[in-house]
Amino acid sequence: MAAATLKCCAPWRLVQLSLVRSSVPNLSFRTAASPMMGATVEEFEQAKSRMSTLKNDPGNEVKLKIYALFKQSTQGPCNIPKPGMLDFVNKVKWDAWKSLGPISQEEARQQYCDLIGSLVTAEGGSSAQVAAEPAGSAAMYETLLVTTEDDITTIKLNRPAKKNAITTEMYNEIIAALEQAAKDDSVITVLTGAGDFYCSGNDLSNFTKIPEAGVEEMARKAGVLLSNYVKAYIDFPKPLVAVVNGPAVGIAVTLLGLFDLVYATERATFHTPFSQLGQSAEGCSSYTFPKIMGPAKASEMLLFNKKLTAAQACELGLVTEVFPDSSFQLEAWTRLKAYAKLPRNSLALSKQLIRSVEKERLHTVNDAEVERLIERWTSEECFNAVMSFFQAKAKL
Ligand code: COA
C-alpha cells in the first residue's frame, strides 16, 4: 500500500512512530522571520486539499513540520500541556508545534501553503494546481488514514499508541468514512489497524467524560452513537473486509460477524470482555455469534470472556483465513487485489442479496443491544470496572 493516494487523511495522523529523515530534496519553506504577507484562509484550504493529492510519503520530518504548521494555522501557538516522556508520538508532535514559537496564524498558513506547494512541485505537479479531489470528497480525518488504490478503499484506524481504541470522534469518523466508501468507485472496502493492534475496542476514557447533564445523558448519547455506528455496518452496500493485523478487543470483534471476509494474522487474538467490564454484547453479536459458532461457543466468548486465538476463531467460522504473521500483509492484499478486479455490480448486488435476508432482524438486534447497554453504562458494575482499568494503569 506504499504508493496509495493519500486521499482523506489529516496531516497530523501521518506521523509514524519512528522518525526518519525526509527523502524529498530541496524543500524550501519560509522561516518565522520571513517578512511576507500571510496566506488567506481560502489559500490555506486549497493547500489542505492539495496535500491530499500527494502520492509520495515525504518522510516523517516533513510530516511533523506539516503537522506543526497546521496546528499553528488553526489554533495558534502551542497551548497544550507537554505530553509525558513515554507518550513518544505525542511528544514529538508537541515539540514540533512548540518549536514554531509565537508566529502568527497568518504566517503559519503561509508557511503551510509554501511547504505543500514545494511538495507538489517536487512530485512534478504545478505549484498553482488546485485540488484534484472534487469538492466535498477531501474530508479530513484525525483518527483514520483513508486511501483508495487498486479499486480498494482502505479505512485504517490510526491511534496506534492507544492500540486503536475507538474514541467518540473516531466512531463518527469511521461512520463518515464508511458513508464515503459506500459512494466511491471502489469495489471492496477494507478496515484495518495501524501498528501492532487491530483495535482495542471502545476507548474506555469515553466513560470518564461525564457531561454536566449527568451520566444518564452520557449513556443516552453514547447509545445513539453506537446505534448509528453498527447501522453503518449493517447497511454497508459493498463487500466489507477486515484485515485483522493484530489483537482485537470488544466492538472490534463483535462487528466481525457483519463483515463479508475476515483475514487475520496468526498473531491476532479475539476478546470480548463484556461481563468483566459490567457491560453486555453489541455489534449484533448476540445474534451473529451463536449463528456463526453455535450458542455454547458464543456464550463462552460473550458471557465468560474467553479469548480466542486466530486459529480458534477461524475454526469457529468468525475468521475466514489465517496467515503467518511474516507474510500476512502480502498474502492478504494479493488476494484482495485480485478480488477487487471482479465485476463491481455483481459483487455489490450479491452482497446486498445475502444481507437483505436478515437486515431487518439485525436492526432489531442492534436496537435491543443498545438499549441494554444504555442501562449497563449507568450501572455501578460498569463504573467500577472502568475505574479499575484506569487505576491499574496509573499504578504501573
Ligand atoms: N481504552 C482506553 N485506553 C486504551 C484502551 C482502551 N480500550 N486500550 C488501550 N488503551 C491505552 C492504554 O491505556 C495505554 O495508554 P497509556 O500509554 O497512556 O498508558 C495504551 O493504550 C497502550 O496500552 P497498554 O495497556 O499499555 O498495552 P498492552 O499491550 O499492555 O495492552 C490491551 C493492550 C488492549 C490488552 C489493554 O490496553 C487493555 O486491556 N485495554 C482495554 C481493552 C478493553 O477493555 N476494551 C473495551 C472492550 S469492551
Side-chain angles (χ1 to χ4, degrees):
M1 297 295 288
T5 308
L6 292 172
K7 188 178 172 192
C8 297
C9 46
W12 56 94
R13 287 291 164 199
L14 298 179
V15 179
Q16 302 298 313
L17 274 170
S18 61
L19 290 176
V20 291
R21 287 198 66 79
S22 161
S23 54
V24 177
N26 300 327
L27 285 176
S28 62
F29 32 84
R30 297 171 211 187
T31 66
S34 158
M36 63 0 185
M37 299 282 288
T40 63
V41 172
E42 199 185 17
E43 286 165 336
F44 177 65
E45 289 301 320
Q46 277 188 2
K48 268 166 49 182
S49 299
R50 290 166 64 207
M51 154 90 195
S52 69
T53 68
L54 290 172
K55 292 192 173 52
N56 301 324
D57 184 334
N60 281 327
E61 191 178 329
V62 175
K63 287 188 291 195
L64 273 175
K65 185 80 187 175
I66 293 172
Y67 163 79
L69 289 170
F70 185 92
K71 296 295 272 188
Q72 192 95 2
S73 300
T74 53
Q75 295 180 28
C78 180
N79 56 0
I80 57 168
K82 185 175 183 173
M85 285 306 289
L86 296 179
D87 191 356
F88 180 65
V89 174
N90 286 320
K91 172 82 169 37
V92 286
K93 287 157 70 180
W94 186 91
D95 286 342
W97 186 8
K98 192 76 181 169
S99 73
L100 293 178
I103 66 167
S104 69
Q105 286 180 268
E106 292 74 23
E107 170 64 16
R109 282 202 297 264
Q110 185 63 56
Q111 288 192 33
Y112 180 92
C113 292
D114 289 349
L115 176 50
I116 302 300
S118 310
L119 290 168
V120 172
T121 309
E123 284 192 354
S126 155
S127 62
Q129 181 186 341
V130 290
E133 296 293 332
S137 71
M140 303 289 277
Y141 296 109
E142 290 228 20
T143 63
L144 309 175
L145 283 171
V146 181
T147 57
T148 299
E149 188 190 25
D150 296 327
D151 291 319
I152 301 173
T153 289
T154 303
I155 301 170
K156 183 182 273 192
L157 312 182
N158 195 29
R159 297 184 72 224
K162 295 287 179 185
K163 309 294 180 192
N164 299 321
I166 310 177
T167 55
T168 301
E169 180 190 25
M170 197 163 175
Y171 279 113
N172 282 315
E173 289 197 344
I174 297 170
I175 294 171
L178 285 171
E179 274 170 9
Q180 186 64 39
K183 287 185 282 187
D184 73 16
D185 286 340
S186 65
V187 176
I188 287 175
T189 300
V190 170
L191 220 89
T192 191
D196 61 344
F197 255 66
Y198 175 62
C199 172
S200 63
N202 190 30
D203 189 309
L204 296 173
S205 68
N206 291 340
F207 293 118
T208 60
K209 294 165 191 149
I210 315 277
E212 266 184 31
V215 91
E216 278 78 17
E217 180 60 8
M218 179 208 74
R220 191 192 63 75
K221 279 193 175 155
V224 172
L225 181 61
L226 175 63
S227 171
N228 290 335
Y229 185 64
V230 176
K231 269 188 194 137
Y233 289 83
I234 298 173
D235 293 334
F236 196 72
K238 299 177 182 178
L240 187 60
V241 180
V243 169
V244 184
N245 56 299
V249 187
I251 193 161
V253 178
T254 54
L255 278 173
L256 293 176
L258 297 177
F259 281 72
D260 303 295
L261 273 182
V262 179
Y263 288 153
T265 161
E266 64 190 348
R267 208 171 44 76
T269 51
F270 299 83
H271 193 203
T272 51
F274 297 125
S275 58
Q276 228 166 319
L277 289 166
Q279 298 187 36
S280 51
E282 21 67 337
C284 293
S285 59
S286 60
Y287 172 68
T288 57
F289 276 28
K291 193 167 157 246
I292 290 168
M293 58 185 82
K297 292 293 183 187
S299 300
E300 213 177 0
M301 282 192 83
L302 297 176
L303 305 188
F304 301 112
N305 313 305
K306 162 110 184 212
K307 191 197 281 188
L308 301 185
T309 63
Q312 287 168 330
C314 191
E315 209 171 301
L316 292 177
L318 187 62
V319 165
T320 312
E321 194 164 340
V322 180
F323 300 89
D325 196 49
S326 55
S327 56
F328 172 60
Q329 297 290 347
L330 181 67
E331 292 196 53
W333 286 107
T334 304
R335 199 79 66 85
L336 291 174
K337 282 177 190 173
Y339 288 165
K341 291 195 168 52
L342 291 166
R344 179 192 317 269
N345 294 336
S346 171
L347 278 180
L349 293 171
S350 297
K351 187 241 161 96
Q352 288 164 29
L353 262 184
I354 296 169
R355 180 52 48 90
S356 68
V357 176
E358 53 182 7
K359 203 169 187 176
E360 285 317 306
R361 183 188 288 260
L362 290 168
H363 283 301
T364 308
V365 171
N366 182 28
D367 292 345
E369 288 177 346
V370 169
E371 195 181 325
R372 174 50 55 223
L373 269 169
I374 291 175
E375 177 275 321
R376 289 285 77 209
W377 289 330
T378 59
S379 73
E380 205 165 313
E381 287 180 345
C382 178
F383 177 81
N384 290 339
V386 172
M387 286 308 125
S388 304
F389 173 76
F390 286 110
Q391 272 163 9
K393 289 267 141 217
K395 280 181 200 145
L396 289 176

